[in-house]
Amino acid sequence: MNLKTIAKMAGVSTVTVSNVLNGKYNKASKETIERVQKIIAETNYRPSATARSLIMKQSRIIGVVIPNLHPYESFYISPYNAQMLGYLDRYIRSQGYYMMLRCVVQSFEVLSDFATWNIDGAFLLGVVAEDALRLQKELDIPAVFIDTYTEDTSLTAIHVEDRKGGYLAAKHLLDKGHRRIAFVSTPTEYPGVMQERYRGYCDALREHGIPPDSSQLIVTENVFYEQGVEAGKRIAASGQGITGVIAVADVLAFGLMEGLRASGLRVPEDVSIIGFDNLPECRYSYPKLTSISQHLEEKAECAGECLFAMLHDKTITTGNRTVNVGLVERQSVMDLSPD
């Protein structure tokens, strides 16, 4: 069964059948539309997605790119990525489109893929500003960059109030009587998510008259569980009397708990911990992890609204969009303040 056969059975042209299939009902009479639709239903005809994409010059495919993954790594190594993908996929499906996931080492690898697959639009996660600006110039489709920090208004960039998140975490520990608070993160000297969270941490310390101590910035290679375990052991062996720790990711915080326990310290009795992301796993850890919520569902919806506004209106909606954060208190922080 093909378009020509449907047209012959209905006694109309293939153009008319194509118009009915694509919802262009103003180009045919009501009787013709009903006759074509009845034949399509009776024959269980399904048009080729490839053929339709060539005719319409649309694939109804939205690319989602996760860069900086090594060939031996899976995107699922990061629960944050998994959560964001779930929310983005749900939004994309709600618009009648399909998601194509692409994990790459270098973000520029996606350029040839997008051209081959005739992608309609794209979400790119965690691309540094310099690369994002270059990609924006080379992409000929609407694109939204998630967790990219830039002052360049030619990009459509979505991120949360990371600096506020770092501030809220440190303030919570300070309000609970902690004064020696470590900050565990990947390098913070580069503009972006981690630098903003560290700045918020420093803001809270200074607000309480405590100068930030570089020895309490614990730098890790990545934000995975294993790096958290090692960081926990380093904190335990440091002899600095650290009573509170802020981790820039929940997975890192889970590792910290294990590293501290392996070193003979208890959480939260000896060391309190706050994570960042508020993943569902926070409710299952022991103790249940206090964390900064990124409101990931709202973040994905904000990104989706921007992308599909560009797709439907054919206008470019550029500039930064920010999503609020909030502290979710559970069991991993001990109150040291005087009674």
Side-chain angles (χ1 to χ4, degrees):
M1 187 63 62
N2 56 37
L3 206 67
K4 288 183 179 179
T5 305
I6 297 291
K8 185 176 181 181
M9 292 173 67
V12 298
S13 68
T14 55
V15 173
T16 298
V17 176
S18 178
N19 287 335
V20 173
L21 284 168
N22 293 304
K24 297 179 180 179
Y25 300 137
N26 62 327
K27 296 181 179 293
S29 68
K30 181 180 178 181
E31 293 76 13
T32 298
I33 293 169
E34 290 176 350
R35 185 165 68 254
V36 171
Q37 288 177 333
K38 182 179 179 182
I39 293 171
I40 289 171
E42 290 174 347
T43 58
N44 197 30
Y45 174 67
R46 295 291 182 270
S48 163
T50 302
R52 290 188 71 181
S53 70
L54 290 172
I55 295 170
M56 302 292 292
K57 295 184 179 179
Q58 291 180 331
S59 65
R60 302 194 75 80
I61 296 175
I62 302 297
V64 179
V65 180
I66 300 178
N68 308 319
L69 279 183
H70 294 291
Y72 58 84
E73 291 178 341
S74 164
F75 76 87
Y76 206 76
I77 197 171
S78 166
Y80 165 81
N81 284 341
Q83 284 288 111
M84 280 300 295
L85 285 172
Y87 288 129
L88 287 171
D89 175 63
R90 188 172 71 185
Y91 192 94
I92 291 167
R93 284 187 287 112
S94 75
Q95 302 299 310
Y97 283 67
Y98 306 90
M99 182 179 83
M100 185 181 83
L101 173 63
R102 188 74 174 95
C103 299
V104 294
V105 178
Q106 299 292 332
S107 54
F108 299 105
E109 295 174 37
V110 302
L111 291 172
S112 60
D113 293 334
F114 284 3
T116 300
W117 285 90
N118 189 29
I119 303 296
D120 290 344
F123 298 106
L124 299 98
L125 279 65
V127 178
V128 298
E130 182 180 351
D131 290 349
L133 289 167
R134 181 181 160 193
L135 279 166
Q136 176 79 347
K137 292 177 182 178
E138 299 196 32
L139 288 170
D140 59 356
I141 56 173
V144 173
F145 295 86
I146 300 174
D147 294 329
T148 294
Y149 273 84
T150 177
E151 295 180 0
D152 193 310
T153 57
S154 68
L155 289 179
T156 302
I158 311 294
H159 54 77
V160 299
E161 295 184 359
D162 288 290
R163 187 164 185 166
K164 179 180 177 181
Y167 172 83
L168 290 176
K171 185 178 185 300
H172 185 67
L173 288 169
L174 289 161
D175 289 345
K176 295 295 184 180
H178 296 266
R179 292 298 178 265
R180 299 192 65 78
I181 303 169
F183 189 88
V184 182
S185 172
T186 51
T188 60
E189 62 264 32
Y190 308 110
V193 170
M194 302 312 173
Q195 185 181 88
E196 291 300 305
R197 293 177 187 177
Y198 182 63
R199 284 177 172 174
Y201 156 84
C202 293
D203 290 343
L205 290 179
R206 294 190 183 99
E207 190 176 273
H208 282 71
I210 303 172
D213 186 342
S214 60
S215 69
Q216 292 172 12
L217 172 60
I218 313 298
V219 178
T220 62
E221 182 181 354
N222 215 316
V223 292
F224 300 147
Y225 181 86
E226 293 76 14
Q227 282 82 31
V229 173
E230 291 305 312
K233 292 177 179 179
R234 286 165 59 189
I235 289 169
S238 69
Q240 295 189 63
I242 289 171
T243 64
V245 182
I246 298 168
V248 294
D250 288 337
V251 176
L252 200 59
F254 299 144
L256 278 162
M257 289 181 178
E258 179 60 30
L260 290 166
R261 289 194 195 103
S263 302
L265 296 178
R266 300 167 299 168
V267 178
E269 291 84 355
D270 299 317
V271 181
S272 296
I273 296 179
I274 296 180
F276 207 112
D277 292 335
N278 192 38
L279 298 173
E281 289 83 352
C282 294
R283 295 173 291 169
Y284 311 136
S285 65
Y286 181 77
K288 299 181 191 302
L289 182 65
T290 295
S291 183
I292 299 297
S293 173
Q294 292 201 49
H295 301 133
L296 296 181
E297 184 173 7
E298 181 182 347
K299 186 177 181 180
E301 288 180 356
C302 181
E305 288 169 1
C306 287
L307 183 67
F308 281 91
M310 289 188 277
L311 280 172
H312 297 323
D313 299 337
K314 305 302 180 184
T315 57
I316 304 300
T317 308
T318 59
N320 290 316
R321 306 288 191 282
T322 58
V323 175
N324 197 14
V325 296
L327 184 132
V328 180
E329 187 173 359
R330 295 191 179 90
Q331 302 169 344
S332 61
V333 174
M334 178 67 72
D335 192 346
L336 302 182
S337 56
D339 294 335

